[in-house]
Amino acid sequence: MSKRIVPVFYHIPKCAGTFFKFKMMIPSLRKKISEENSLLICQKKPKKFSRLAQFNINLDSTFKIPGKITFIVGVVEKNYYCSSLRNSITLENFKEYLRKEKVVIYGATINPIVGSFSQSVKVIDDCCKITSCKPSYFTILREPFGRHNSLFYYLRDVGKWERNFGTFENMSFKEYIKSTKLSDSWLIRNLTEISNNKPLTEKEYKKAIQILSKFDVGLYEKLSEFFNKLNKKFGFIAYGQLDNLKNENKTSQKTKFSELLKEEQDIFNERVKFENKLYNHFKNKNSRISANANKSINNKKIKLFVNGKSSEKRIAVYNK
C-alpha cells in the first residue's frame, strides 16, 4: 500500500511564498478536507475532520507564531477540540497528538525563521513516519538581483511588522550593494547552515544543489508553469489573480539592473556569484525538463499520425 503524499513547502523570502501559503496551499488543503467530509456525508458516515488548523513548532522550544515549522493538519473532531486555527505547541505534544490520532498531517511549511534547516527536515520526516505518510518537498527560487531588490525595499519601506524593518533606513539600493549588508546567499547559508563569519565556497554551493535536487523547484519568473505542476501533483488551486501572486512592494520604487553602473553590477555579481550559479543551475535544469517533455509529445504525435486517419482524432484529443 502506497503512503499518502504530504506537500512540504520551503519558504524562501521574497519569492511569492506568503501569497502561495495563504492563497493557494492552505485554501486548497481546506477544500480537500471539505470534499472528503462531503463524500462521507453522502455515504451517511460521520465526518472525519472538524476543520483545518495550523500547528507551529519552534526548534528552540519557544511559542512564537509562525514557528520554524508550520504543520497544516486536519483536526479529528471526536478525539480533540481545537480552539484556535493557529496554535503554537511543543514538538513532543504535537507528536503525542499524532500518535493518538487527534490530528492528521495534510501539509507543512519550513518558514524563513532562525533555526536549523536539517533539523526542520528531520522533524517533518519523523512526524510523517508516525502517521505513515510521505513528505514531498518543493520550493520557489527567484533570480538573485530581483530577490535582493525586493527584499531591500520591503525591509526599508514596507514591512513594519518584520523584526528587521529599518535595517536599511536612509540607505539607497546602490549603497546597499556596496555595503556588508548585502548577503552573499541567505539561501545557501540557510541550507548548509554555515555561519555568517565564514566565506562561502564551492563546497557549500554543491551541498545546496544536492539538497534542492530532492525538491520540486519552481522559478518565480515562471510561476504559472510551476503552479500548473503543483495543481497536477497536489490539486492546488490559486485563490486570487495571478498578477497578485508575486506580492510586490507596490509603495516602493524598484532599481533596475541596467540602472547600475558597470562597477556596481560587477560588485553585485561577485558578491552573489554562488547564488547566481545555483539559480542558473535550476533554471537550466527546468528548461531541459520542459524541452524533453515537449519532445516526448512531438514524438507521440508523429507515431500516432502515421497510423492513419483514426489516429488524427486521437491527436486532437491528446492536444486538448
Side-chain angles (χ1 to χ4, degrees), residues 78-96:
K78 64 180 181 179
N79 293 343
Y80 176 64
Y81 173 70
C82 179
S83 60
S84 175
L85 293 177
R86 301 181 77 188
N87 306 270
S88 183
I89 61 174
T90 66
L91 177 58
E92 287 310 311
N93 281 343
F94 182 68
K95 286 183 175 180
E96 182 183 355

Side-chain angles (χ1 to χ4, degrees), residues 31 54 64 88 148 182:
K31 184 172 183 289
Q54 300 172 50
K64 294 175 290 188
S88 183
H148 278 279
L182 173 63

Side-chain angles (χ1 to χ4, degrees), residues 141 187-188 205 208-209 274-282:
L141 298 183
L187 174 59
I188 295 176
Y205 160 74
I209 290 290
F274 287 115
E275 189 169 334
N276 268 331
K277 194 175 178 181
L278 182 141
Y279 174 83
N280 287 327
H281 171 88
F282 285 100

Side-chain angles (χ1 to χ4, degrees), residues 36-63:
E36 289 177 356
N37 282 336
S38 296
L39 180 62
L40 289 172
I41 291 172
C42 289
Q43 296 172 343
K44 296 183 178 180
K45 297 179 180 178
K47 289 196 304 181
K48 187 173 183 180
F49 304 110
S50 58
R51 54 177 163 170
L52 197 75
Q54 300 172 50
F55 283 80
N56 288 275
I57 310 292
N58 288 287
L59 305 180
D60 58 1
S61 299
T62 60
F63 293 92

